[in-house]
Amino acid sequence: MSSYKIVLVFDIILLIFGLYACAAAMRMKKTGVPSEILIPKEEQRCLKDAPQFCGKMYLPTVLFGCLSCVYGAFDFINRQALKVPFVEYVGMVCFLGGCYWYVRKLLAVKGEHL
């Protein structure tokens, strides 16, 4: 499989992950039970206030899910139709910055509630 196809598969995976993250955030907000993509089942028993954790992580998870969807779709479209190389790098930097922000936010909220 060529590297071009691998990146396209990665873009599709990011798009699907973004949709899943948004759905998981909505389910967390509705049920008050943290998603396993944020915190494993074993650690969920140690949470001091699960509904508050869900409330604090709802918006960051939705934003990160949307960022993943947008980046995956945009990079897919750029590789298929636009083919603008510098836009690819700008998108990658924005996505990695979003990943950094989200992980810091998740670790901070986990630190407060574990």
Side-chain angles (χ1 to χ4, degrees):
M1 189 185 264
S2 71
S3 63
Y4 179 77
K5 289 181 181 177
I6 291 172
V7 173
L8 289 178
V9 169
F10 181 71
D11 291 337
I12 292 168
I13 290 170
L14 272 177
L15 181 64
I16 293 168
F17 169 76
L19 294 172
Y20 181 76
C22 288
M26 288 182 230
R27 190 172 44 251
M28 272 191 334
K29 185 174 184 179
K30 184 178 179 181
T31 65
V33 177
S35 173
E36 288 187 41
I37 64 170
L38 298 181
I39 186 165
K41 277 275 192 211
E42 300 83 38
E43 290 182 20
Q44 286 183 16
R45 291 187 300 247
C46 301
L47 280 177
K48 295 175 187 167
D49 189 3
Q52 189 178 22
F53 175 85
C54 293
K56 287 183 179 179
M57 285 309 299
Y58 170 72
L59 186 59
T61 304
V62 168
L63 291 175
F64 185 64
C66 289
L67 175 67
S68 296
C69 283
V70 168
Y71 176 68
F74 183 73
D75 196 46
F76 183 82
I77 291 168
N78 185 46
R79 289 185 182 277
Q80 293 298 319
L82 302 176
K83 299 180 182 176
V84 181
F86 104 67
V87 171
E88 178 181 334
Y89 298 120
V90 170
M92 188 181 307
V93 167
C94 291
F95 178 71
L96 291 175
C99 288
Y100 178 76
W101 166 79
Y102 184 73
V103 168
R104 284 183 49 99
K105 180 71 174 174
L106 179 60
L107 290 175
V109 174
K110 278 174 82 172
E112 290 174 18
H113 292 279
L114 284 180

